[in-house]
Amino acid sequence: MRQYLRLLILGLIFLPAALPAKKASTSINVIPYPQSVVTGKGYFKGAGANFNCDPEIDNESVRLIREFAERIKFVTGRTNSFASPVGLVKVAEEGAMKGFVFIKDSSKGPEEYSIDITKKTCTVKASSKNGFLYALQTLRQLTDPAIFSDKIDPSQKFLFPVVSIKDKPRFAYRGMHLDCSRHFFPVEEVKKYLDIMALYKLNRLHWHLTDDQGWRVEIKAYPKLTQIGAFRNGTMIGKDFSSNDGKRYGGYYTQDQIREVVAYAESLGITIIPEIDLPGHMLGVLSAYPELGCTGGPYEVWTKWGVSEEVLCPGKEDMFIFLENMFNELLELFPSEYIHIGGDECPKTEWEKCPACQARIKALGIKGDGKHSAEQFLQSYVTARVQKFLNSKGRKIIGWDEVLEGELAPGATVMSWRGVDGGIKASAMGFDVIMTPNTYCYFDYYQSDKTEQEPLAIGGHLPIEQVYGYEPFDGLDASQQKHILGVQANLWTEYITTNEYLEYMLLPRMCALSEVQWCKSEDKNFDRFTSSMRNESFKIFDALGYNYRKY
């Protein structure tokens, strides 16, 4: 009876929230833009307001709400009372519900939320942590950017406009990629990267941890990976492939640091998907364990960019033993459902000459089919074998779209990077797809065609309006669209040497990406988006001390 009475009271008090939505207004500066927005007149004052939490809200969500309350208190110096769980029912029974009110609504999806703001009350409803998290991120953007500042301002009122918002994402997978192999970024910068992802409601970090230019994760069974494979003897200068600056370069994340970053990401609603790129892009491994290659070396961690022809040897059983032992440790660090195994840009010239590889091809009865060579099918064997092992551990694989060359076992997910064709093909074949085409989603490309005015980049031209204009369902029929898990942008770091440069290439293009990932195509509006950037997001970046490109 008490529970029934409580629900009845709350339902009566918040009845206006259930009214039909009107046509969306574009007068709020929130990115990504919510699905439904109805604006009113006036403001709710957040400074000094009470916080009331439904007793059914989980502890993690309560922690996030407390952090929001503490931030307002820190800036203004005004105390925000935080009601005990029973306090919510008590206040409701007295008919005096004011301030911030957070209510668990089990009818909403895991990433769905609603916000109803009147002059006296700000009511937030969600069913789980991520819903409350995204609602709080929206609230942060609705008020003064000072909420992100470390400066105390007793005059700050933190006004929130009267508005009704109903919101949920278009895609479940909303990713951003970070290459820490070409250039290594410290834990604190990775956390900053995660912070800005969370603000704009991205939920997957694809962490590229290994490549020809350095191995970045501690594996205790193979200590040489970080003793040798994590460091290179210099780096090419600019785009002169024959040059070397002569400066030893490298670094790696300890297992404790990995756990720290993974836990931090989880607190922000972000899952980290590690990438171990194989069987190509493996000089970081081969320099440490040369016996795993076709020739036995000697190998050296690459000091230049590009694609090395020196790759792992699938003719050697020890190579598969290494991968399984390494993955066993990696899986203890990363609880994600998916593990990215690369599969891109793997030259086959060594395999064509390698006795062990040719013996493996013969033993497996592999033959070319006129479209793909025997060596391409050998890579399919590597992919399938690693996939089977990871599946046995309860994980799924993601591979770059080259994994479609040859055969691909059911259950794999394809990441389409060479334009959209790989995603179109994979979805037609029944594979799940993450769209990350270089034509729209490669943030290592120049942001302007006036390249002399931009920092050195790998090439290409990807202005923010092109990112914003991407439509992931173009060229797909209804059956194929069901296989599109989401969208991701990639930030490769061959020429990105500092934290400041990393942020500059990320922002504000990631804001445009967030609307591609979150908003229905009909809700996107570039003029509204750029206005929100200038009126809110740029001020947030300034408050947080981020470096970004101004438009």
Side-chain angles (χ1 to χ4, degrees):
M1 178 62 73
R2 180 183 295 273
Q3 178 71 0
Y4 172 79
L5 179 62
R6 170 185 170 279
L7 292 174
L8 179 62
I9 292 168
L10 292 176
L12 290 171
I13 289 173
F14 300 109
L15 185 61
L19 294 175
K22 301 176 185 176
K23 187 177 180 181
S25 165
T26 59
S27 59
I28 63 169
N29 295 313
V30 173
I31 298 172
Y33 199 71
Q35 276 201 6
S36 171
V37 176
V38 181
T39 57
K41 294 182 179 179
Y43 292 89
F44 164 78
K45 188 171 77 171
N50 296 330
F51 277 75
N52 304 282
C53 282
D54 187 330
E56 293 185 5
I57 294 177
D58 64 277
N59 291 336
E60 270 295 288
S61 296
V62 172
R63 176 187 63 80
L64 293 169
I65 296 166
R66 283 189 181 276
E67 287 178 356
F68 180 71
E70 288 298 316
R71 169 52 51 173
I72 292 176
K73 177 183 176 182
F74 170 81
V75 175
T76 65
R78 298 187 62 178
T79 302
N80 300 79
S81 67
F82 207 98
S84 63
V86 247
L88 179 63
V89 180
K90 184 174 185 295
V91 173
E93 289 171 348
E94 292 172 353
M97 185 70 72
K98 294 180 181 179
F100 290 96
V101 183
F102 294 85
I103 297 173
K104 180 173 180 177
D105 181 352
S106 299
S107 69
K108 296 189 185 302
E111 295 189 306
E112 185 178 2
Y113 68 92
S114 67
I115 299 173
D116 288 284
I117 302 176
T118 69
K119 292 180 181 179
K120 294 183 178 180
T121 309
C122 174
T123 305
V124 175
K125 295 181 182 180
S127 65
S128 61
K129 170 191 160 184
N130 278 14
F132 285 111
L133 172 67
Y134 299 146
L136 290 167
Q137 300 293 36
T138 295
L139 287 175
R140 288 182 175 96
Q141 291 190 53
L142 281 173
T143 193
D144 195 284
I147 199 165
F148 295 94
S149 175
D150 286 333
K151 296 178 181 178
I152 296 173
D153 181 5
S155 67
Q156 178 60 248
K157 295 180 180 180
F158 285 122
L159 299 178
F160 296 81
V162 170
V163 67
S164 178
I165 294 172
K166 293 176 176 61
D167 201 14
K168 61 182 178 180
R170 180 185 184 186
F171 292 107
Y173 186 108
R174 303 181 302 281
M176 192 65 222
H177 158 286
L178 177 60
D179 170 17
C180 287
S181 176
R182 275 49 175 262
H183 280 95
F184 178 75
F185 295 92
V187 166
E188 290 311 309
E189 182 65 13
V190 177
K191 287 183 176 180
K192 283 180 69 178
Y193 203 86
L194 290 164
D195 286 338
I196 206 72
M197 285 177 59
L199 175 60
Y200 293 97
K201 303 183 177 75
L202 278 71
N203 63 359
R204 298 289 188 277
L205 174 64
H206 171 179
W207 203 0
H208 188 80
L209 289 165
T210 69
D211 217 297
D212 290 323
Q213 292 80 16
W215 178 280
R216 304 291 179 224
V217 54
E218 177 187 28
I219 300 295
K220 293 182 178 178
Y222 297 97
K224 292 181 183 179
L225 288 174
T226 45
Q227 292 169 0
I228 298 173
F231 298 90
R232 60 178 181 257
N233 293 319
T235 303
M236 61 180 279
I237 301 168
K239 295 191 176 182
D240 181 358
F241 282 80
S242 64
S243 66
N244 187 317
D245 64 11
K247 300 175 183 177
R248 184 166 166 80
Y249 181 90
Y252 63 92
Y253 304 101
T254 67
Q255 292 196 357
D256 283 344
Q257 287 175 321
I258 293 283
R259 292 187 186 96
E260 177 186 345
V261 173
V262 168
Y264 186 79
E266 195 279 331
S267 74
L268 298 173
I270 298 171
T271 299
I272 296 184
I273 298 171
E275 180 184 357
I276 304 296
D277 200 349
L278 64 94
H281 290 287
M282 271 284 172
L283 275 175
V285 170
L286 293 175
S287 62
Y289 296 96
E291 65 273 15
L292 301 179
C294 290
T295 67
Y299 303 103
E300 184 179 2
V301 180
W302 244 20
T303 61
K304 58 185 179 180
W305 319 130
V307 179
S308 171
E309 293 190 354
E310 297 173 313
V311 300
L312 292 179
C313 178
K316 296 179 178 178
E317 194 63 23
D318 282 350
M319 187 273 283
F320 291 100
I321 293 172
F322 162 80
L323 290 177
E324 292 182 4
N325 290 339
M326 179 273 299
F327 276 122
N328 276 331
E329 280 197 42
L330 193 84
L331 299 183
E332 291 294 320
L333 302 173
F334 293 96
S336 58
E337 177 185 12
Y338 291 98
I339 303 295
H340 203 302
I341 64 168
D344 63 312
E345 299 176 329
C346 179
K348 311 296 191 295
T349 50
E350 285 196 341
W351 294 359
E352 292 168 359
K353 298 178 287 187
C354 173
C357 288
Q358 292 304 311
R360 176 80 75 178
I361 287 172
K362 183 177 180 180
L364 294 171
I366 293 175
K367 292 182 173 60
D369 63 0
K371 185 176 181 181
H372 298 108
S373 67
E375 287 73 24
Q376 284 177 307
F377 282 109
L378 180 60
Q379 181 170 345
S380 297
Y381 167 75
V382 174
T383 301
R385 187 159 167 179
V386 172
Q387 179 180 0
K388 183 178 180 181
F389 173 77
L390 290 173
N391 288 167
S392 75
K393 303 293 183 178
R395 310 301 180 94
K396 300 177 182 179
I397 69 161
I398 300 173
W400 300 109
D401 56 54
E402 285 96 330
V403 297
L404 291 168
E405 298 169 1
E407 295 177 327
L408 185 62
T413 295
V414 175
M415 188 166 274
S416 182
W417 76 274
R418 296 177 296 178
V420 299
D421 291 350
I424 293 172
K425 177 181 177 181
S427 60
M429 296 169 66
F431 291 104
D432 285 343
V433 173
I434 298 159
M435 298 299 282
T436 178
N438 58 349
T439 43
Y440 296 97
C441 298
Y442 266 45
F443 288 3
D444 55 333
Y445 287 8
Y446 285 106
Q447 300 190 64
S448 167
D449 57 1
K450 297 180 174 62
T451 57
E452 69 282 356
Q453 298 176 12
E454 294 289 326
L456 183 66
I458 198 166
H461 173 216
L462 186 62
I464 193 167
E465 56 268 28
Q466 188 167 327
V467 178
Y468 194 85
Y470 178 46
E471 171 44 53
F473 283 170
D474 280 351
L476 303 173
D477 62 29
S479 65
Q480 290 173 287
Q481 291 175 13
K482 294 176 182 177
H483 286 289
I484 306 303
L485 302 182
V487 180
Q488 173 179 296
N490 298 333
L491 190 40
W492 303 101
T493 61
E494 283 93 337
Y495 297 96
I496 300 173
T497 58
T498 66
N499 296 347
E500 293 74 23
Y501 188 11
L502 182 73
E503 294 163 16
Y504 179 87
M505 298 299 276
L506 178 70
L507 299 172
R509 288 189 290 192
M510 198 198 73
C511 299
L513 171 73
S514 76
E515 295 225 340
V516 175
Q517 297 167 327
W518 186 276
C519 302
K520 292 180 180 178
S521 57
E522 60 267 27
D523 292 337
K524 290 166 61 183
N525 181 305
F526 190 66
D527 289 339
R528 183 264 308 152
F529 166 76
T530 53
S531 175
S532 292
M533 276 204 314
R534 294 189 181 100
N535 291 326
E536 184 71 19
S537 287
F538 286 175
K539 296 174 183 177
I540 291 172
F541 300 158
D542 289 337
L544 290 169
Y546 276 87
N547 189 38
Y548 62 97
R549 189 184 194 278
K550 297 174 176 64
Y551 287 86

